[in-house]
């Protein structure tokens, strides 16, 4: 027992307690919100089982983060020949046995674990593998990153998961992968001339994307945001309209969590849990969640800044991009600032795979922090 307490003491001294605290606070908020949604009679299809699964996923995620934090991240990146093929295999598997949800029928991102009713979303685990392999790739070529042939190979690396997930039907997650790629390449030292060229190219190809890539449903979701006359309260805008009603009705301090007067918002337990937070805890609660997310992202950037090498720095930047892009898109959807594309709020929204993968990512950031700290003390 004495050895156990000593091991815990040593770990607490080496780990990033701020990072742990921020993550656990977000998870606590999410669990309480899910319990409130389960209690509300106006929000259906959310029972105590989802709360229990979320609690279990949080516990398993914390254990996974702890284990990963003890591994040297250099070892994890060099094991890419094991985790990358496995992650891609699971994603490709969804093209054959995947299924969507009631709100996202065309998105075949999930499959059931054999013999259970538990679903898994493999793209969540691909995020971790992608961050590791891209950090490894960029750390090798960063001195030559701005050579056209090197940059072309890096762009091809980033395009593979984005295109694969686009064809899977989950454009929201594809955008998150694109955000991870952009942030990591920028942090690796991409020349500004390429950044300016990319921005210019996006402006040029935007009309082609609108007319030839986006489907009618995606176009409608974008049009609604800019044309108030199209905001049919019972049609395509219904979900965002209900979310705005919920957030507005919370006013400054909110109605409370365990009450029966909540506004029914589709997917309130998942993509639109921020609307439930706004109604339950008001403006103060929304602001608190946003501040915690900002602090979490800031802490990840701090881990990147203090990393001993490019590889660790890029891993932390990738995790920062994953968390921040998801948070911005999710909150933007709930406030009708961005179109609905199905993105969870990290560690808060219901989703066992999302929670588990996020904690695993945090474990990688902790690994960078702990091994950097060890090297500092050893010198």
């Amino acid at each position: 027992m004495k050895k156990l307490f000593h091991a815990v003491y040593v770990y607490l001294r080496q780990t990033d307690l701020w990072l742990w605290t921020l993550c656990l606070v977000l998870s606590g908020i999410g669990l309480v919100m899910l319990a409130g949604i389960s209690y509300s009679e106006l929000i259906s299809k959310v029972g105590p089982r989802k709360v229990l699964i979320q609690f279990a996923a949080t516990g398993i995620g914390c254990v996974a983060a702890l284990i990963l934090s003890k591994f040297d991240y250099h070892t994890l990146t060099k094991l890419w020949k094991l985790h990358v093929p496995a992650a891609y295999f699971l994603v490709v598997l969804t093209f054959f046995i995947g299924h969507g949800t009631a709100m996202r029928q065309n998105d075949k991102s999930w499959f059931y674990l054999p013999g259970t009713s538990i679903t898994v979303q493999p793209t969540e685990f691909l995020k971790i593998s992608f961050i590791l392999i891209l950090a490894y790739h960029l750390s090798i070529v960063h001195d030559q990153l701005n050579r056209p042939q090197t940059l072309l190979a890096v762009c091809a690396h980033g395009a593979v998961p984005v295109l694969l997930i686009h064809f899977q039907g989950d454009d929201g997650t594809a955008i998150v992968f694109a955000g991870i790629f952009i942030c990591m390449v920028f942090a690796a030292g991409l020349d500004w001339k390429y950044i300016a060229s990319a921005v210019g190219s996006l402006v040029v190809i935007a009309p082609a994307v609108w007319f030839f890539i986006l489907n009618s449903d995606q176009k409608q979701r974008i049009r609604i945001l800019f044309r108030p006359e199209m905001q049919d309260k019972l049609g395509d805008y219904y979900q965002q309209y209900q979310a705005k009603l919920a957030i507005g009705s919370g006013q400054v301090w909110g109605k409370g969590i365990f009450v029966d007067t909540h506004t029914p918002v589709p997917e309130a337990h998942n993509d639109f849990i921020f609307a439930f937070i706004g109604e339950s805890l008001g403006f103060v609660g929304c602001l608190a969640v946003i501040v915690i997310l900002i602090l979490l992202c800031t802490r990840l950037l701090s881990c990147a800044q203090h990393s001993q090498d490019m590889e660790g720095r890029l891993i932390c930047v990738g995790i920062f991009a994953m968390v921040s892009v998801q948070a911005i898109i999710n909150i933007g959807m709930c406030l009708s600032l961005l179109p609905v594309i199905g993105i969870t709020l990290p560690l808060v929204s219901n989703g066992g795979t999302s929670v588990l993968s996020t904690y695993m990512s945090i474990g990688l950031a902790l690994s960078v922090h702990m091994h950097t700290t060890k090297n500092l003390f050893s010198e």
Side-chain angles (χ1 to χ4, degrees), residues 271-315:
D271 300 343
F272 278 78
I273 197 168
F274 189 77
F276 186 82
I277 293 171
E279 187 170 26
S280 302
L281 304 178
F283 173 78
V284 173
C286 289
L287 187 60
V289 170
I290 292 172
V291 168
I292 295 169
L293 285 165
I294 291 173
L295 290 174
L296 174 59
C297 291
T298 303
R299 197 66 189 176
L300 288 169
L301 287 179
S302 177
C303 288
Q305 183 181 10
H306 292 96
S307 173
Q308 64 175 331
D309 57 19
M310 177 65 70
E311 201 168 296
R313 188 177 309 123
L314 291 174
I315 288 173

Side-chain angles (χ1 to χ4, degrees), residues 18-49:
W18 274 109
L19 203 53
W20 272 112
T21 300
L22 293 167
C23 290
L24 291 173
V25 169
L26 283 173
S27 290
I29 292 171
L31 287 167
V32 173
M33 293 302 111
L34 285 175
I37 293 170
S38 175
Y39 175 85
S40 176
E41 296 179 357
L42 294 175
I43 305 175
S44 60
K45 299 181 180 179
V46 180
R49 182 174 177 273

Side-chain angles (χ1 to χ4, degrees), residues 163-232:
L163 292 174
L164 180 66
I165 296 166
H166 165 70
F167 289 119
Q168 184 192 53
D170 188 0
D171 285 329
T173 301
I175 291 172
V176 174
F177 272 85
I180 293 170
F181 172 78
I182 291 169
C183 289
M184 291 181 70
V185 172
F186 177 79
L190 183 64
D191 195 294
W192 280 101
K193 67 181 180 182
Y194 290 115
I195 298 173
S197 300
V199 173
S201 299
L202 287 175
V203 174
V204 172
I205 67 172
V209 172
W210 178 265
F211 289 109
F212 301 109
I213 296 179
L214 297 181
N215 59 42
S216 58
D217 179 57
Q218 291 168 330
K219 292 178 182 178
Q220 181 73 355
R221 294 182 184 186
I222 296 173
R223 287 194 192 102
I224 285 173
L225 300 178
F226 302 99
R227 297 177 60 181
E229 71 275 10
M230 295 180 64
Q231 294 178 356
D232 182 2

Side-chain angles (χ1 to χ4, degrees), residues 67-332:
I67 293 172
L68 285 172
S69 69
K70 295 295 290 182
F71 278 91
D72 188 334
Y73 59 93
H74 297 100
T75 302
L76 296 172
T77 56
K78 290 173 183 175
L79 288 174
W80 67 267
K81 292 181 181 179
L82 295 178
H83 59 78
V84 171
Y88 274 107
F89 171 75
L90 291 175
V91 173
V92 171
L93 199 61
T94 62
F95 284 82
F96 303 97
I97 63 172
H99 69 92
T101 64
M103 297 294 294
R104 297 157 68 181
Q105 294 289 340
N106 295 326
D107 180 359
K108 308 298 182 182
S109 299
W110 294 264
F111 60 75
Y112 286 102
L113 289 178
T116 71
S117 60
I118 299 175
T119 57
V120 174
Q121 188 176 11
T123 50
E124 292 293 334
F125 298 118
L126 181 59
K127 290 176 187 175
I128 303 170
S129 187
F130 178 67
I131 290 170
L132 285 171
I133 183 61
L134 186 59
Y136 184 59
H137 186 172
L138 289 171
S139 67
I140 293 173
V141 305
H142 80 276
D143 289 334
Q144 302 176 349
L145 178 62
N146 292 300
R147 293 185 178 182
Q149 62 270 29
T150 303
L151 185 58
L152 186 62
V154 170
C155 289
H157 186 164
V160 171
V162 173
L163 292 174
L164 180 66
I165 296 166
H166 165 70
F167 289 119
Q168 184 192 53
D170 188 0
D171 285 329
T173 301
I175 291 172
V176 174
F177 272 85
I180 293 170
F181 172 78
I182 291 169
C183 289
M184 291 181 70
V185 172
F186 177 79
L190 183 64
D191 195 294
W192 280 101
K193 67 181 180 182
Y194 290 115
I195 298 173
S197 300
V199 173
S201 299
L202 287 175
V203 174
V204 172
I205 67 172
V209 172
W210 178 265
F211 289 109
F212 301 109
I213 296 179
L214 297 181
N215 59 42
S216 58
D217 179 57
Q218 291 168 330
K219 292 178 182 178
Q220 181 73 355
R221 294 182 184 186
I222 296 173
R223 287 194 192 102
I224 285 173
L225 300 178
F226 302 99
R227 297 177 60 181
E229 71 275 10
M230 295 180 64
Q231 294 178 356
D232 182 2
K233 299 173 184 177
L234 298 177
D236 294 321
Y237 190 64
Y238 174 74
Q239 192 174 17
Q240 287 181 301
Y241 176 74
Q242 293 295 105
K244 287 174 70 175
L245 280 181
I247 293 172
S249 66
Q251 299 185 28
V252 177
W253 297 103
K255 295 179 178 179
I257 301 170
F258 299 97
V259 297
D260 290 324
T261 57
H262 282 291
T263 305
V265 180
E267 298 296 309
H269 64 292
N270 197 350
D271 300 343
F272 278 78
I273 197 168
F274 189 77
F276 186 82
I277 293 171
E279 187 170 26
S280 302
L281 304 178
F283 173 78
V284 173
C286 289
L287 187 60
V289 170
I290 292 172
V291 168
I292 295 169
L293 285 165
I294 291 173
L295 290 174
L296 174 59
C297 291
T298 303
R299 197 66 189 176
L300 288 169
L301 287 179
S302 177
C303 288
Q305 183 181 10
H306 292 96
S307 173
Q308 64 175 331
D309 57 19
M310 177 65 70
E311 201 168 296
R313 188 177 309 123
L314 291 174
I315 288 173
C316 292
V317 168
I319 299 164
F320 156 80
M322 182 186 79
V323 174
S324 59
V325 170
Q326 287 187 204
I328 290 169
I329 293 176
N330 181 276
I331 294 172

